[in-house]
Amino acid sequence: MDIANKDGMFFLPPPVTSALDALEEKGYEAYAVGGCVRDLCRGVTPHDYDITTSATPEEVEACFSGRRIIETGIKHGTVTAIIDGEPLEITTYRTDGEYLDGRHPESVTFSSEINDDLSRRDFTINAMAYSPRRGLRDPFGGREDIEKKLVRCVGEPDLRFGEDGLRIMRALRFASSLGFEIEGETAASIHRNRRLLRLVSAERIYAEYKRLITGVFAARILTEFRDVMFTVMPELECLEGDEYENAVAAADKAGCDVITRTALLLGREENLPALRRLKPDGRTYSSVAAVLRHINGAFETDDVSLRRLLGGVSYENARRIVDARRARGLMTEDEAARVTANLNEMEARGECVNVRMLAVTGRELMELGVPEGARVGEILSRLLEEVITCRAENDKAELIKFAKAMREAQGD
Ligand code: ATP
Ligand code: MG
């Protein structure tokens, strides 16, 4: 199940081993730590590597003199070294001081003990360190929890969530994305402490939410921890009857896309404030809003209707709408596949779906004598309607002829 070789060694990329060596050669301890060790134990290639060391930030800088160093978070003990063009975060072993606000430690203290550093980490699966010369450090049974597929707090759950409420969302995110369960006591503590999330900034919650909603286990976690979801998205609590279950089931059937799944979870446009409060980027928010507008009610899928739809939503969002409707059972698999293929072809053909894509511009109409102002927009809209309904080709000469005919008919 893991990719450790027969000597219990994991493969670390050359920049990581050379950073570990640089620190060890000067007499310090150094390990790869956190998510990368978790992924190595799972047999998954890590997407990045963090290093933890007994060296203080100044000592780390001295070890890497001559290489590019960024003083990312010196106060918190983090130095970023650029090794073979790759940024590597190197953090001094530390313990966190008291948490008074449920968000940040009042102070951090550097330590010379790896176990101090591992014990401040959130979950057992994230509290392991590995180095080729020192082997695996796993004081909390992280490896066993990986085998059992469990997310479990390091230490007393109530205390750990009390220190930092974000860990509640992180537990849900890891369970959802890794396909793990949350261990019983940790789960009970999450339910008890869910309101601590109110102390956590929207941006940090949203970053974890995105990974939770797109996880393979999302439906299970959203169901088991609906009370937590209602704390971060109170509007969901107002969904009636089995609307929440249906929303979760639909989100689960949809592709792994934050926008489609969020639209399905919210279910209705009135629930958009739940998303707005989490402060997503503007593009995500407006895409969710666009998908939500078309997820309920009638939806025509003939070419003309699709072109009309595309006047208001991007191709990407149109495909999300189709997927969302399929997931809700409003469209059959076959129909969804046919419409998606049709959308792809329209996009490839560069089909005209809005006035900006017309072969004639407002300026050209004015050159023909149309007075500047509302009348230009009106004629463009009518030309678009002609093109969308295939009564005219999107061809400059033809559209100009049409425009002239319209003006004559109107007598202007
Ligand atoms: P990913 O693969 O998503 O990057 P990760 O485990 O590396 O997962 P990060 O958010 O990058 O997650 O955090 C790196 C490590 O820092 C974690 O593995 C964990 O040991 C520790 N950590 C991060 N956030 C917290 C927190 N809020 N409380 C305690 N430890 C944390
Ligand atoms: Mg990480």
Side-chain angles (χ1 to χ4, degrees), residues 403-412:
K404 281 184 178 155
M406 276 175 209
R407 295 190 62 207
E408 273 160 24
Q410 296 265 313
D412 60 29

Side-chain angles (χ1 to χ4, degrees), residues 80-355:
T80 302
I82 313 289
I83 297 171
D84 304 337
E86 291 287 324
L88 260 183
E89 279 201 358
I90 304 172
T91 306
T92 306
Y93 296 165
R94 54 172 237 221
T95 54
D96 294 337
E98 243 186 306
Y99 285 77
L100 300 179
D101 60 357
R103 280 167 293 187
H104 318 97
E106 293 298 295
S107 61
V108 307
T109 313
F110 297 142
S111 163
S112 54
E113 261 301 309
I114 175 76
N115 280 9
D116 286 343
D117 187 84
L118 295 177
S119 61
R120 74 170 169 92
R121 294 175 182 270
D122 47 8
F123 307 111
T124 60
I125 57 172
N126 289 344
M128 294 186 281
Y130 170 78
S131 102
R133 28 184 121 195
R134 295 173 189 275
L136 185 72
R137 300 298 292 257
D138 177 20
F140 306 104
R143 200 161 197 193
E144 196 182 326
D145 282 341
I146 287 177
E147 256 149 49
K148 293 187 186 154
K149 297 189 175 242
L150 281 180
V151 175
R152 181 200 308 269
C153 280
V154 168
E156 191 55 54
D158 284 349
L159 233 129
R160 303 312 311 283
F161 292 129
E163 288 171 352
D164 179 3
L166 182 72
R167 291 174 187 154
I168 293 176
M169 267 324 259
R170 286 177 59 83
L172 270 53
R173 179 264 270 203
F174 284 115
S176 172
S177 64
L178 303 176
F180 282 23
E181 307 259 5
I182 299 180
E183 176 276 330
E185 284 187 25
T186 299
S189 176
I190 287 176
H191 290 297
R192 268 197 303 280
N193 288 296
R194 64 184 186 275
R195 289 184 192 84
L196 291 172
L197 276 168
R198 294 188 186 144
L199 299 172
V200 179
S201 78
E203 291 84 351
R204 289 178 81 204
I205 293 179
Y206 182 67
E208 301 295 339
Y209 162 81
K210 277 200 298 199
R211 304 179 68 177
L212 158 58
I213 190 82
T214 52
V216 289
F217 242 37
R220 207 163 161 161
I221 297 301
L222 292 170
T223 304
E224 185 178 345
F225 295 95
R226 72 177 63 195
D227 53 344
V228 176
M229 294 313 295
F230 294 165
T231 307
V232 292
M233 295 180 145
E235 285 75 4
L236 296 185
E237 201 164 2
C238 304
L239 293 177
E240 282 158 23
D242 43 17
E243 231 182 311
Y244 181 76
E245 283 81 357
N246 294 340
V248 169
D252 191 42
K253 282 203 200 91
C256 230
D257 171 70
V258 190
I259 290 163
T260 315
R261 288 195 166 184
T262 299
L264 286 165
L265 185 66
L266 296 177
R268 321 187 210 143
E269 283 185 271
E270 304 93 273
N271 292 337
L272 271 168
L275 177 63
R276 185 187 293 267
R277 216 173 307 102
L278 294 184
K279 303 195 182 145
D281 57 285
R283 228 185 121 88
T284 299
Y285 180 82
S286 55
S287 293
V288 171
V291 175
L292 264 178
R293 266 198 297 282
H294 299 279
I295 203 170
N296 301 302
F299 187 70
E300 303 293 335
T301 59
D302 58 278
D303 285 8
V304 174
S305 302
L306 287 182
R307 287 189 207 105
R308 287 216 171 92
L309 172 74
L310 290 164
V313 310
S314 65
Y315 279 98
E316 208 180 5
N317 285 337
R319 281 185 286 263
R320 289 182 173 123
I321 291 165
V322 172
D323 191 46
R325 294 183 66 96
R326 174 193 64 80
R328 296 189 72 187
L330 298 173
M331 237 181 188
T332 64
E333 297 288 332
D334 286 353
E335 194 183 7
R338 178 182 65 72
V339 177
T340 303
N342 202 2
L343 286 166
N344 293 343
E345 281 164 27
M346 286 178 165
E347 187 175 26
R349 282 199 299 268
E351 205 142 302
C352 173
V353 293
N354 59 44
V355 290

